[in-house]
Amino acid sequence: MPEFSVPFEPAKVEKNTIRKFYNIGGFTALFQFAGSNIFAMLLMIGITAILRAVNPDASTGAVSHYMTKGAIFVAINMLTFLTANVLFAFIGLKWAKIKPSSLIKTRDYHFSDAVTHCLAGLFIWVTAAYISSGIEDIVSQYGFTTDVMDDDYGKTGLGLAIMTIYTCFIAPVTEELFFRGALMKIFSKSNQRFGIVASAVFFGLAHGNLPQFMLAFLIGVFMGHIDMKHNSIIPSVVVHIFINTMVTVMSEFNDNEVVMGLISLGLIIMGIIGFVLLLVFRKGCRLPVSTPAQSRRGIAIAKTSIGIILAFSVQLIYLVLLILTTKK
């Protein structure tokens, strides 16, 4: 309003208030990271103990092989992140005094928007996938690998069913609830652009390897953008489900050259359409632009937030250690 103005430099009281929310977001991300790892470890220990008790003659290697090659490890992964994402999303929202219902009050969102976002998101995913492959090639030249997951785990009927349900439905909903819902909402208190980028950074770090970080970060910025536009996590949930489903379908036909050729052709066509739609979308709706005053309330304060510094440092160190300790 004409009679009001925002000072370029925030006063001490305002800085402390903004820093409080950045700390809430940072510690929420840190607790989710620590909680998911602790919960997974406890589940692994508990289930291993049960299997050893039921099969006292089985060796440690046999028990481990049974867990990783069957459905157990996949189920642990699903339960871990389902619990951690939902639990800490609601803890963070409660801590920041944000109503969960505010995450789904969708504004001006139609079927045509969903199609545009999905195809534009697919183009970003394809582009990011090529970048990720380049990063993997560079790292592999030094004798390391960024692939920290066994591609052959859970190759049973039940394992594939659980993995499909988790990848295509549970992960998109719970990850969007946590990253674009809780984190972005908390980080956007004074600077929307910072909220989008910061939540995308933590989304990338959560994937646990360098190529996946780049892929998740780029698509995370886009999904944060569309959620900010429509004031809801529904748009990013739809895009996330679409992309994860496409990746799951492709992974099932890796060994079929004919089918993969058709899928690749379809990806090229949809990618070109997605590129055009992305340009149209960005022309009509750019990322939120920070005013000079808002810029002084974004990264300038965030870099003094203990919560953000700890969460970022711990997850970055974890990612680096995984690469350094995983040889080809």
Side-chain angles (χ1 to χ4, degrees):
M1 297 176 65
E3 62 268 29
F4 293 96
S5 63
V6 176
F8 178 71
E9 285 288 348
K12 184 177 180 180
V13 173
E14 186 187 358
K15 278 186 179 180
N16 290 338
T17 302
I18 295 171
R19 190 181 294 111
K20 181 188 76 171
F21 283 103
Y22 288 165
N23 280 331
I24 290 174
F27 280 118
T28 298
L30 182 63
F31 295 156
Q32 186 267 359
F33 172 77
S36 60
N37 280 278
I38 293 171
F39 186 50
M41 182 180 64
L42 292 176
L43 281 175
M44 290 287 288
I45 293 173
I47 293 174
T48 300
I50 292 172
L51 290 175
R52 294 298 299 274
V54 175
N55 304 276
D57 297 330
S59 65
T60 302
V63 172
S64 177
H65 182 271
Y66 178 76
M67 291 179 65
T68 55
K69 301 302 179 182
I72 295 177
F73 187 79
V74 180
I76 288 174
N77 185 69
M78 180 183 71
L79 289 173
T80 296
F81 290 105
L82 169 62
T83 303
N85 287 337
V86 174
L87 175 63
F88 289 105
F90 281 101
I91 288 176
L93 291 169
K94 181 72 174 179
W95 193 0
K97 297 181 180 179
I98 298 172
K99 292 182 179 180
S101 60
S102 67
L103 305 183
I104 54 173
K105 291 184 177 180
T106 314
R107 178 182 62 213
D108 298 328
Y109 183 64
H110 308 286
F111 179 75
S112 59
D113 295 310
V115 174
T116 296
H117 299 158
C118 285
L119 293 178
L122 182 64
F123 167 75
I124 294 173
W125 176 82
V126 171
T127 303
Y130 280 109
I131 296 174
S132 297
S133 297
I135 293 174
E136 172 64 32
D137 290 341
I138 293 172
V139 173
S140 65
Q141 292 179 9
Y142 295 93
F144 299 99
T145 178
T146 57
D147 188 5
V148 295
M149 185 64 73
D150 183 0
D151 293 332
D152 197 38
Y153 81 97
K155 295 299 184 181
T156 65
L158 181 58
L160 288 172
I162 294 174
M163 189 184 302
T164 300
I165 293 172
Y166 173 71
T167 302
C168 297
F169 299 102
I170 294 177
V173 174
T174 59
E175 287 179 1
E176 293 312 308
L177 174 64
F178 183 77
F179 292 101
R180 249 66 60 189
L183 285 193
M184 191 173 77
K185 198 82 169 180
I186 294 169
F187 287 144
S188 299
K189 280 292 184 177
S190 61
N191 189 317
Q192 291 182 329
R193 193 182 188 94
F194 173 77
I196 292 173
V197 175
S199 61
V201 168
F202 283 110
F203 182 53
L205 289 172
H207 283 71
N209 65 71
L210 198 55
Q212 285 289 317
F213 168 83
M214 182 57 65
L215 194 154
F217 171 74
L218 291 176
I219 198 68
V221 170
F222 174 71
M223 292 195 293
H225 185 184
I226 61 177
D227 280 0
M228 197 72 74
K229 171 180 170 59
H230 297 289
N231 193 44
S232 168
I233 64 170
I234 299 299
S236 64
V237 168
V238 173
V239 172
H240 206 149
I241 289 175
F242 174 74
I243 291 176
N244 279 20
T245 302
M246 289 288 295
V247 174
T248 300
V249 171
M250 288 175 60
S251 66
E252 292 303 312
F253 293 100
N254 273 336
D255 298 328
N256 191 318
E257 294 183 2
V258 176
V259 175
M260 282 304 298
L262 293 173
I263 291 177
S264 298
L265 178 61
L267 280 177
I268 293 172
I269 295 172
M270 288 190 291
I272 294 172
I273 297 173
F275 174 66
V276 174
L277 291 175
L278 179 63
L279 292 178
V280 173
F281 171 74
R282 289 296 306 274
K283 183 178 180 180
C285 179
R286 296 187 178 278
L287 278 168
V289 177
S290 301
T291 66
Q294 285 175 323
S295 297
R296 300 301 302 162
R297 290 156 173 79
I299 188 65
I301 297 179
K303 65 185 182 182
T304 67
S305 163
I306 296 176
I308 287 181
I309 292 172
L310 280 177
F312 178 77
S313 300
V314 168
Q315 294 190 54
L316 181 62
I317 291 171
Y318 179 77
L319 186 151
V320 172
L321 287 176
L322 280 178
I323 295 175
L324 295 179
T325 56
T326 308
K327 291 281 187 178
K328 291 192 69 177

